[in-house]
Amino acid sequence: MTAAENVCYTLINVQSDSEPPSEVSLKADLEKGEIKAKTEALKKVIIMILNGEKLPGLLMTIIRFVLPLQDHTIKKLLLVFWEIVPKTTPDGKLLQEMILVCDAYRKDLQHPNEFIRGSTLRFLCKLKESELLEPLMPAIRACLEHRHSYVRRNAVLAIYTIYRNFENLIPDAPELIHDFLVNEKDASCKRNAFMMLIHADQDRALDYLSTCIDQVHTFGDILQLVIVELIYKVCHANPSERARFIRCIFNLLQSSSPAVKYEAAGTLVTLSSAPTAIKAAAQCYIDLIIKESDNNVKLIVLDRLIELKDHPTHERVLQDLVMDILRVLSTPDLEVRKKTLQLALDLVSSRNVEELVIVLKKEVIKTNNVSEHEDTDKYRQLLVRTLHSCSVRFPDMAANVIPVLMEFLSDTNEAAAADVLEFVREAIQRFDNLRPLIIEKMLEVFHAIKTVKIYRGALWILGEYCSTKEDIQSVMTEVRRSLGEIPIVDNEIKKETGELKPEDEVSAAPAQKLVTEMGTYVTQSALSSSRPSKKEEDRPPLRGFLMDGDFYVAASLATTLTKVALRYVLIVEDKKKQNSFVAEAMLIMVTVLHLGKSSLPKKPITDDDVDRISLCLKVLSECSPLMNDIFNKECRKSLSHMLAVRLEEEKLSQKKESEKRNVTVQADDPISFMQLTAKNEMCSKEDQFQLSLLAAMGNTQRKEAADPLASKLNKVTQLTGFSDPVYAEAYVHVNQYDIVLDVLVVNQTSDTLQNCTLELATLGDLKLVEKPSPLTLAPHDFANIKANVKVASTENGIIFGNIVYDVSGAASDRNCVVLSDIHIDIMDYIQPASCTDAEFRQMWAEFEWENKVTVNTNIVDLNEYLQHILKSTNMKCLTPEKALSGFCGFMAANLYARSIFGEDALANVSIEKPIHLGPEAPVTGHIRIRAKSQGMALSLGDKINLSQKKANL
């Protein structure tokens, strides 16, 4: 049975390497074998019938030799056998032998063993033949009064199924079950009985609930869940009933069962929009997140809170609960923390921002005390970003946040320190009143900075914003302290020779071997490679970076020294002091340049860095007003402009979000009447229980295009030709992790086709879940066959196969029709996503699979080509609109998407318009795709190749 069609009760494992036994040997085992042999034979019969074998000759054997046995295993297997065995003749009449089976089950329903009675009742739920059920009805009714609850609860299920399928067999079922429910004490029996009344006779269910509504909180959780479902359905269908049941739902929020609390909170939100109800539901959700240990549960409930927040009228209520929401941060899982921080940030207001910042500061300090772990670093980064956002939105908070965060500039985790640095840079530019505080803290932590990237950023901030004489001198002191004794080259050589003199074991021979034509410092350079590691640790930080060959920091240092020196000249009037300061700055630059040109560092200085340092030396020697203006004003203007653009983008995105959330109703908007609305217009009026059931069964329908029928027809694939004896076409329905193939098979011949079987195989990361059952097709008849395919990762997959069948009366071998391949489109799994520039660059460096696609299109406009690629690949453009606007003949853009399996896909589009070939020349260039898996990179490349050729203009 396919999951999309029917409920599957029993899963039977079939060993693929086992050979099917003969009917004769099975008959012998079933007649004369021991209990164990009969059990094995019966299992084999069941498997053969499931595979399409008929085996009519064994039916009477099983009735005579197996059915009378009292062994429990045999009885259980017989229930499966009678469920799957054909019970009717080809013309649809019940087999005569089934009367004997019916009599055997009537005896089992009166058996003293409760297990046999209960399992027989469960089996009767699956029978679809009313002639078999009719003689058993008195025995089924009698089971409602059995002493054991297992029998009674299965009797209720049997009565419900029979009433639903054949109401004429037990017309008084609702009344019977209502009386049973009133007197029943067992929770599971009450739950089954109440469930039946909900679906069979809702009025009786409500009557019963009315009599015990005050005792609901004392019931078992399984019954409480069913009561919540009934209340939801009643209030959904008849809103006037809400007031009658809302108190009951409020009481169930205090239930001891987490499942009941969750369902009650969800129902309460749909029943009432009152602030007290929303607050109670939200509080219940928060308690569930904190108390539940399963991270998946936490994430699901967090999503419910986020849905509440997205409702404009509920947001105000949730703002009062921000501090409660922050209690969730005690969870160690990073994904839960990420969602919690985002939710708290969305809900923060001027009323609670101060408390939020205090909690976040405590959390940041806590991360410093925890032993180093990968998630700790990422969590710290999240906290820094959240505090950054708070400070930008509420500038009054910045003064409290900055001192705590600046301690993390000396952190070994570069990512968190880089976020702090970015925040500090923005704060020092935006908030003039905080500059002295930031400069003071920066000078305090400057010597402790461990990573070169952070060091460069800190140097730039100090050079740009130190404006007093004392601060400038402090910067120079810190630089000298971080650089150590100068000139560096002489100092390093003295160190080496000084260390080597007392050591007798170092011979002259190695030194001689290492002397080459490199120049003065070769011997020392060679010896420096065997320096003890202790001395390397003793080096000041800046000197350490330079000795490692990182001279980009030297270029940054030169720029900083130039800025502070030019500013010092303007502030201090004493010529002698001016010259002394400028000379010191120039000496530092020269000594760094000398070091770069020597062979002491691990890598020599690059030409770019030499040019920058030389330029700074020239500027300081001339001190022209123009250069002063460029160094001390234009740099800051560029930063100011960049921050202004970013702020404008943030405001624009916030405005769009708020516009989305604000529900505006125009005076001339049509009034929607619930009774007249189309199914797809119901939106919030849909039954949430039904939707969740469909989602669990994998039957959720995606939102189709404007014309749902047209979009469904687009997914129909023709599998055979119109002249083939069997015509087949498939509708490919892609759910999240599986594909359902709905194959229509048409017999185009005048013969009856027996054992018509759809045989499928897959290529790629696809797996066929089940083998479709064989069919018998009458002449010119048709049938639908469903097949499920599981998907494991994002890559193009191919499903191929054939249809095989026997022609009735023909002596020839089986006939075969080969099917066309079904190509599974990668676009069904890829969704647009966004990430920061830093994250994009990091992933770009980490991902090992790259696919370079050459642009081959007939589109002549750059922007149009980019939009076409975005549309055909489901990717999102990370490059801002402003960077892409205008026309300059070329374009570079970064694209990003994420699959439903959590795989990332990156793309870099580099295209140009060859103007020299005329205005109608098509776009040229390359698209580079990077992904973690080879399949993703290749599949996305194939998709781009196919789609760019399809562009019709």
Side-chain angles (χ1 to χ4, degrees):
M1 295 182 190
T2 53
E5 210 171 23
N6 292 306
V7 178
C8 179
Y9 295 98
T10 315
L11 290 173
I12 296 172
N13 178 41
V14 184
Q15 290 180 348
S16 54
D17 57 345
S18 58
E19 287 185 21
S22 67
E23 196 170 329
V24 177
S25 66
L26 285 173
K27 200 167 187 177
D29 282 346
L30 290 169
E31 282 182 19
K32 299 169 184 164
E34 296 293 315
I35 292 287
K36 195 174 180 184
K38 287 185 177 183
T39 305
E40 287 303 315
L42 195 53
K43 282 181 181 177
K44 286 172 185 171
V45 170
I46 290 167
I47 288 166
M48 286 172 77
I49 292 174
L50 283 173
N51 286 336
E53 301 288 339
K54 294 287 185 282
L55 305 178
L58 292 178
L59 191 63
M60 207 59 213
T61 307
I62 289 172
I63 291 172
R64 284 175 60 203
F65 296 104
V66 183
L67 195 59
L69 297 175
Q70 294 301 308
D71 181 74
H72 284 201
T73 309
I74 293 272
K75 282 199 173 288
K76 198 168 184 182
L77 286 170
L78 279 171
L79 294 177
V80 177
F81 174 76
W82 293 121
E83 183 187 341
I84 62 169
V85 78
K87 302 172 191 67
T88 54
T89 57
D91 57 356
K93 289 183 181 174
L94 195 72
L95 290 169
Q96 295 296 320
E97 294 91 335
M98 296 311 291
I99 295 166
L100 298 169
V101 177
C102 185
D103 187 56
Y105 281 117
R106 190 176 53 76
K107 287 174 183 169
D108 277 352
L109 287 174
Q110 294 163 348
H111 199 283
N113 184 292
E114 62 272 7
F115 168 74
I116 290 173
R117 273 204 196 197
S119 53
T120 307
L121 285 163
R122 285 183 77 84
F123 159 71
L124 295 179
C125 294
K126 304 166 198 174
L127 277 187
K128 297 287 183 286
E129 289 78 23
S130 58
E131 300 97 315
L132 285 175
L133 291 167
E134 196 170 358
L136 304 175
M137 291 316 298
I140 295 171
R141 282 172 177 263
C143 286
L144 282 175
E145 293 162 18
H146 193 270
R147 60 184 172 74
H148 203 283
S149 62
Y150 178 68
V151 177
R152 295 200 303 275
R153 72 166 175 261
N154 283 313
V156 172
L157 280 179
I159 288 169
Y160 171 40
T161 315
I162 295 165
Y163 177 76
R164 193 176 59 196
N165 296 331
F166 313 104
E167 192 177 332
N168 58 308
L169 292 181
I170 183 160
D172 62 336
E175 189 182 340
L176 180 71
I177 295 297
H178 182 267
D179 295 342
F180 168 79
L181 182 61
V182 171
N183 301 317
E184 182 56 56
K185 296 287 182 284
D186 181 75
S188 61
C189 297
K190 284 172 85 170
R191 182 253 179 208
N192 284 4
F194 195 72
M195 183 65 112
M196 177 192 160
L197 287 182
I198 288 175
H199 295 286
D201 191 343
Q202 212 172 77
D203 292 338
R204 283 184 194 276
L206 285 172
D207 289 345
Y208 172 73
L209 183 58
S210 302
T211 59
C212 60
I213 199 156
D214 294 328
Q215 287 93 47
V216 166
H217 62 279
T218 62
F219 293 167
D221 57 346
I222 52 173
L223 184 56
Q224 286 178 341
L225 279 170
V226 183
I227 288 170
V228 170
E229 185 179 343
L230 172 68
I231 292 172
Y232 176 84
K233 286 189 170 182
V234 168
C235 298
H236 183 72
N238 188 2
S240 59
E241 295 277 358
R242 288 177 181 176
R244 181 177 164 195
F245 295 112
I246 209 152
R247 179 176 291 281
C248 176
I249 293 289
F250 260 109
N251 290 341
L252 288 175
L253 288 178
Q254 312 305 320
S255 169
S256 57
S257 161
V260 174
K261 287 169 80 170
Y262 175 74
E263 292 296 349
T267 303
L268 184 60
V269 170
T270 57
L271 297 189
S272 172
S273 298
T276 47
I278 301 302
K279 189 170 183 179
Q283 196 71 60
C284 180
Y285 281 146
I286 293 165
D287 289 344
L288 278 174
I289 299 168
I290 292 163
K291 287 174 185 171
E292 277 302 305
S293 56
D294 189 333
N295 287 331
N296 292 320
V297 173
K298 289 177 189 282
L299 289 168
I300 290 165
V301 182
L302 262 173
D303 283 337
R304 281 300 178 100
L305 274 176
I306 292 164
E307 279 173 30
L308 274 183
K309 181 262 303 179
D310 290 339
H311 200 289
T313 54
H314 301 163
E315 191 174 5
R316 177 88 184 187
V317 178
L318 284 175
Q319 282 178 352
D320 298 334
L321 296 172
V322 168
M323 299 317 291
D324 290 324
I325 291 169
L326 286 175
R327 285 161 58 205
V328 179
L329 291 177
S330 57
T331 308
D333 184 68
L334 188 69
E335 196 61 34
V336 174
R337 286 170 158 179
K338 192 175 183 178
K339 275 195 173 183
T340 306
L341 285 172
Q342 189 54 54
L343 178 62
L345 194 57
D346 290 342
L347 292 172
V348 74
S349 65
S350 51
R351 288 177 296 147
N352 53 24
V353 67
E354 205 167 328
E355 293 170 319
L356 174 77
V357 166
I358 290 167
V359 172
L360 294 181
K361 275 164 66 178
K362 281 180 184 170
E363 286 294 317
V364 170
I365 292 161
K366 263 192 226 170
T367 61
N368 214 16
N369 304 331
V370 176
S371 59
E372 279 304 310
H373 185 267
E374 189 188 356
D375 280 357
T376 310
D377 292 341
K378 287 180 181 173
Y379 179 45
R380 191 181 302 156
Q381 213 173 331
L382 280 175
L383 290 167
V384 168
R385 285 182 186 173
T386 311
L387 284 166
H388 182 174
S389 302
C390 283
S391 303
V392 171
R393 279 172 59 186
F394 304 98
D396 298 347
M397 292 295 111
N400 296 338
V401 173
I402 288 167
V404 177
L405 289 188
M406 285 187 72
E407 297 293 331
F408 290 96
L409 283 174
S410 57
D411 199 55
T412 47
N413 175 23
E414 190 178 290
D419 278 342
V420 173
L421 195 71
E422 194 179 322
F423 169 41
V424 169
R425 187 184 67 183
E426 193 169 339
I428 203 167
Q429 172 63 21
R430 282 201 180 150
F431 314 128
D432 293 350
N433 57 321
L434 294 178
R435 279 182 193 170
L437 171 70
I438 294 173
I439 295 289
E440 184 190 334
K441 290 296 291 180
M442 184 70 84
L443 287 166
E444 274 178 31
V445 298
F446 187 72
H447 69 279
I449 295 173
K450 295 179 182 72
T451 55
V452 67
K453 187 180 173 186
I454 308 306
Y455 203 91
R456 284 202 311 267
L459 268 175
W460 188 90
I461 290 171
L462 287 172
E464 190 62 52
Y465 294 100
C466 283
S467 50
T468 66
K469 179 184 165 185
E470 290 75 21
D471 286 346
I472 290 171
Q473 283 174 336
S474 300
V475 170
M476 183 58 88
T477 308
E478 285 297 333
V479 167
R480 288 295 298 266
R481 180 183 172 188
S482 186
L483 204 54
E485 196 178 326
I486 54 173
I488 301 171
V489 174
D490 292 350
N491 185 254
E492 285 293 318
I493 293 168
K494 280 176 188 170
K495 266 191 191 176
E496 297 300 345
T497 52
E499 281 174 12
L500 290 169
K501 274 176 188 172
E503 294 178 9
D504 301 326
E505 67 273 12
V506 177
S507 64
Q512 287 166 1
K513 280 180 191 172
L514 293 165
V515 172
T516 65
E517 72 282 348
M518 288 295 282
T520 321
Y521 306 114
V522 169
T523 310
Q524 285 82 358
S525 171
L527 290 168
S528 71
S529 64
S530 60
R531 284 193 301 270
S533 59
K534 188 183 170 192
K535 281 292 165 194
E536 285 186 10
E537 287 170 19
D538 290 345
R539 281 207 186 107
L542 185 50
R543 182 177 291 202
F545 300 144
L546 295 175
M547 291 302 288
D548 287 338
D550 195 332
F551 281 95
Y552 187 27
V553 74
S556 181
L557 172 68
T559 310
T560 298
L561 289 174
T562 307
K563 285 178 184 175
V564 293
L566 290 172
R567 214 170 289 134
Y568 191 82
V569 169
L570 292 175
I571 297 167
V572 179
E573 292 176 5
D574 188 340
K575 273 281 183 200
K576 195 176 177 183
K577 283 183 179 175
Q578 284 180 10
N579 291 340
S580 170
F581 192 89
V582 171
E584 191 174 1
M586 290 170 83
L587 174 64
I588 291 170
M589 288 184 224
V590 170
T591 191
V592 169
L593 206 52
H594 187 198
L595 176 69
K597 292 286 181 71
S598 76
S599 53
L600 283 172
K602 289 178 182 174
K603 286 183 277 183
I605 191 167
T606 63
D607 291 343
D608 287 345
D609 295 331
V610 170
D611 288 349
R612 170 49 69 116
I613 296 170
S614 305
L615 172 72
C616 291
L617 283 166
K618 194 168 190 296
V619 169
L620 282 184
S621 61
E622 291 174 0
C623 286
S624 68
L626 174 64
M627 286 297 158
N628 195 348
D629 200 43
I630 289 170
F631 271 84
N632 280 330
K633 290 183 183 171
E634 294 300 324
C635 291
R636 199 174 300 184
K637 270 187 194 170
S638 299
L639 173 65
S640 177
H641 180 63
M642 187 194 83
L643 292 175
V645 169
R646 192 185 289 173
L647 191 65
E648 194 180 319
E649 280 175 8
E650 280 175 15
K651 280 181 180 172
L652 201 66
S653 63
Q654 281 175 7
K655 191 179 175 186
K656 280 181 186 172
E657 282 295 317
S658 60
E659 279 172 5
K660 271 185 202 170
R661 276 194 251 164
N662 289 340
V663 183
T664 51
V665 181
Q666 302 299 332
D668 57 349
D669 274 359
I671 300 169
S672 64
F673 294 94
M674 191 175 155
Q675 288 81 354
L676 305 177
T677 48
K679 219 174 195 180
N680 57 348
E681 291 171 12
M682 297 283 275
C683 301
S684 60
K685 300 282 185 275
E686 288 174 332
D687 187 335
Q688 297 299 317
F689 281 91
Q690 195 62 31
L691 286 179
S692 59
L693 181 64
L694 284 172
M697 290 173 67
N699 280 3
T700 45
Q701 297 293 322
R702 287 191 177 184
K703 287 183 181 174
E704 301 286 6
D707 182 356
L709 292 174
S711 61
K712 198 166 183 177
L713 289 172
N714 287 339
K715 293 187 177 179
V716 172
T717 308
Q718 188 177 332
L719 301 178
T720 63
F722 291 117
S723 57
D724 282 317
V726 176
Y727 172 75
E729 63 181 31
Y731 168 62
V732 183
H733 180 72
V734 179
N735 291 323
Q736 193 163 9
Y737 297 110
D738 65 331
I739 299 163
V740 179
L741 295 180
D742 191 349
V743 184
L744 171 70
V745 181
V746 183
N747 178 5
Q748 299 198 108
T749 66
S750 301
D751 302 314
T752 300
L753 305 185
Q754 294 179 333
N755 288 334
C756 183
T757 310
L758 175 67
E759 294 181 346
L760 295 173
T762 59
L763 197 68
D765 219 342
L766 303 174
K767 187 183 176 187
L768 196 67
V769 175
E770 62 209 335
K771 186 179 172 186
S773 311
L775 298 167
T776 300
L777 285 175
H780 303 289
D781 192 10
F782 63 89
N784 278 64
I785 302 173
K786 283 198 169 84
N788 276 27
V789 179
K790 283 286 171 199
V791 187
S793 69
T794 316
E795 60 179 84
N796 287 337
I798 299 172
I799 301 171
F800 56 94
N802 45 48
I803 291 176
V804 290
Y805 59 91
D806 297 325
V807 178
S808 91
S812 63
D813 292 336
R814 297 200 81 184
N815 299 282
C816 176
V817 179
V818 179
L819 306 177
S820 302
D821 297 346
I822 302 171
H823 290 264
I824 303 303
D825 194 356
I826 187 177
M827 288 307 105
D828 289 314
Y829 314 116
I830 288 183
Q831 296 158 344
S834 57
C835 65
T836 64
D837 287 348
E839 286 167 344
F840 184 91
R841 280 195 292 272
Q842 189 181 347
M843 285 190 282
W844 188 266
E846 285 173 2
F847 289 174
E848 54 204 38
W849 291 103
E850 178 169 307
N851 187 5
K852 191 174 182 180
V853 179
T854 305
V855 172
N856 178 13
T857 185
N858 50 358
I859 298 175
V860 296
D861 183 68
L862 295 173
N863 222 353
E864 191 182 335
Y865 180 76
L866 178 65
Q867 293 308 317
H868 176 71
I869 290 295
L870 291 175
K871 188 179 175 186
S872 57
T873 59
N874 273 5
M875 297 187 91
K876 182 177 180 178
C877 183
L878 298 180
T879 310
E881 194 69 38
K882 286 194 174 178
L884 299 173
S885 58
F887 180 78
C888 61
F890 64 87
M891 179 187 282
N894 289 337
L895 316 182
Y896 178 62
R898 186 180 282 130
S899 77
I900 57 172
F901 306 104
E903 300 167 317
D904 299 295
L906 315 174
N908 173 257
V909 180
S910 299
I911 48 178
E912 65 173 324
K913 169 87 174 162
I915 301 166
H916 61 283
L917 297 177
E920 293 304 310
V923 171
T924 60
H926 292 93
I927 300 171
R928 290 164 71 200
I929 301 155
R930 285 203 182 181
K932 218 170 206 173
S933 64
Q934 183 185 17
M936 181 91 156
L938 292 175
S939 303
L940 207 51
D942 292 345
K943 181 68 187 173
I944 290 174
N945 263 329
L946 286 170
S947 58
Q948 65 179 357
K949 287 171 188 168
K950 281 181 188 171
N952 294 318
L953 293 175

